[in-house]
Amino acid sequence: METHISMKKFICLFCLVFSFSLLQAQDTYVVNGVQLELKKEIDGKLDLYWNIIDGKYRYFVKTETSTFLELTNTKKDGKFQEEYKDLLNELTNASMSTKRLNLTLFSLKEFIDTYNGTVDSSYQSTVKRNKLMFRLGVFGGITNSPFVTNPDNLTTPLFGGELEILDANQISSHAVFLQIKHVLEQDELQYSTTELALGYRYRFINKEKFSLYGNVKFATLNFSNVTIVTEDNGNFTTEDLNDTSFDVPFIFGIGADIRVTENSFITLSYNELFALFLDNQGNFSTDFSIGYKFNL
């Protein structure tokens, strides 16, 4: 049984990692004789490109002569050389201060966007300050509570609510959420819990009408109740145990949003597929829910 469950965990992890890697299409460019897949972030007098290559963020600018130049920040004798500042000073004729410029995507975007706007009156800025959007949702479904003892693999109802926080300037791929969920008990499985969770969501398919995403709940607070029945010479006694537990379990799941109006969505979720720091108790997840959420 353990081998069977472990294999299912491995398959789920592979699917999630593969899904998270399905990013938007990238174009291939030749930079110093090497073909690189890069994302274009800024289009103007100076273009900004970037990507994660071999696990490292790399940034490039393209000049009006279509020359690609890499922005680097090498370290020598324990000190960063900040070559990217020297290069941008040269390309912009030192018209803008690079003193507080960081080698990060957002900082470079702001710098190059501002420069393009000062040298080209027809340039349309593409950089927007982040503005948070909030979505409030409710949901209900069933679960077999795979991380608690459930020898008969029974399912019980669940319901809850969620507050999702994302970038309002675009259909953001990234979001965080706060969730409250209550799992009801039944006669055959006298276990119930109320869970408060903080999590992260990544939309690897992110369209206006439909999105498919992976969830990870990285912090949970559970208020649980379980009834234990014991037998002694034919006499049965029951004991109610209440427990409060805080965990950092990294529980993974998947879900989808289907837009039904301009500001509302039907949600579908398949949760508790596996956790990095909680043991499955022998049952593969049967944790499904359907819900409704709307923009605040």
Side-chain angles (χ1 to χ4, degrees):
M1 172 63 76
E2 287 186 9
T3 302
H4 184 57
I5 296 298
S6 298
M7 180 60 69
K8 288 184 176 180
K9 277 188 177 183
F10 174 78
I11 293 171
C12 290
L13 179 59
F14 175 81
C15 291
L16 284 171
V17 171
F18 175 76
S19 298
F20 288 172
S21 68
L22 295 177
L23 301 176
Q24 62 192 34
Q26 303 161 9
D27 293 323
T28 300
Y29 303 89
V30 177
V31 181
N32 295 327
V34 179
Q35 285 192 340
L36 298 175
E37 288 188 348
L38 301 176
K39 304 175 188 179
K40 191 173 190 178
E41 197 71 28
I42 296 288
D43 185 2
K45 293 290 185 180
L46 282 181
D47 300 339
L48 175 63
Y49 293 80
W50 72 284
N51 207 346
I52 301 174
I53 302 172
D54 297 329
K56 296 181 179 179
Y57 283 86
R58 293 178 65 180
Y59 306 97
F60 303 83
V61 290
K62 189 176 76 170
T63 67
E64 289 186 89
T65 61
S66 297
T67 302
F68 275 89
L69 301 169
E70 185 168 5
L71 301 172
T72 60
N73 189 18
T74 59
K75 200 171 187 179
K76 184 178 181 180
D77 298 328
K79 184 178 180 180
F80 286 106
Q81 302 302 299
E82 298 187 334
E83 297 95 337
Y84 70 98
K85 291 185 178 181
D86 295 333
L87 177 58
L88 288 172
N89 276 327
E90 179 182 345
L91 294 174
T92 61
N93 296 316
S95 60
M96 296 174 53
S97 173
T98 58
K99 184 177 180 180
R100 297 186 178 181
L101 180 63
N102 297 316
L103 192 62
T104 63
L105 183 59
F106 182 76
S107 186
L108 293 172
K109 278 174 63 175
E110 280 204 321
F111 180 88
I112 294 176
D113 182 79
T114 300
Y115 170 75
N116 286 338
T118 61
V119 297
D120 183 0
S121 59
S122 64
Y123 173 74
Q124 298 294 317
S125 175
T126 59
V127 174
K128 297 180 180 179
R129 292 287 184 180
N130 286 341
K131 181 181 178 183
L132 296 180
M133 171 185 287
F134 297 89
R135 289 176 178 170
L136 185 63
V138 293
F139 58 87
I142 59 170
T143 181
N144 65 342
S145 302
F147 305 120
V148 302
T149 302
N150 183 8
D152 296 323
N153 197 23
L154 300 172
T155 58
T156 51
L158 66 86
F159 63 89
E162 179 185 283
L163 178 66
E164 183 180 27
I165 307 168
L166 63 163
D167 183 2
N169 290 320
Q170 56 184 335
I171 305 175
S172 178
S173 295
H174 305 274
V176 296
F177 61 88
L178 301 170
Q179 186 183 95
I180 180 170
K181 180 183 72 173
H182 182 70
V183 177
L184 298 169
E185 70 174 44
Q186 58 160 296
D187 292 339
E188 292 81 5
L189 181 63
Q190 296 183 335
Y191 165 83
S192 65
T193 188
T194 299
E195 178 184 88
L196 302 176
L198 177 64
Y200 167 76
R201 176 169 295 146
Y202 179 77
R203 290 176 167 84
F204 47 85
I205 295 178
N206 192 20
K207 305 296 183 182
E208 183 178 359
K209 299 293 185 181
F210 174 81
S211 64
L212 187 65
Y213 48 79
N215 292 325
V216 55
K217 291 193 287 189
F218 50 79
T220 59
L221 179 63
N222 281 83
F223 305 92
S224 303
N225 177 269
V226 61
T227 300
I228 298 176
V229 180
T230 57
E231 180 186 3
D232 184 16
N233 295 325
N235 297 318
F236 293 89
T237 59
T238 61
E239 182 182 6
D240 289 329
L241 298 178
N242 296 307
D243 180 61
T244 300
S245 61
F246 174 78
D247 293 294
V248 185
F250 286 84
I251 301 172
F252 289 85
I254 58 176
D257 291 341
I258 304 168
R259 187 185 293 271
V260 290
T261 70
E262 182 179 353
N263 290 302
S264 64
F265 307 82
I266 296 294
T267 62
L268 304 172
S269 298
Y270 182 20
N271 298 306
E272 299 196 348
L273 292 173
F274 63 93
L276 295 184
F277 302 113
L278 287 180
D279 291 330
N280 184 287
Q281 299 301 305
N283 299 317
F284 193 63
S285 174
T286 304
D287 190 306
F288 300 98
S289 62
I290 184 171
Y292 175 83
K293 66 182 174 183
F294 55 91
N295 296 330
L296 295 178

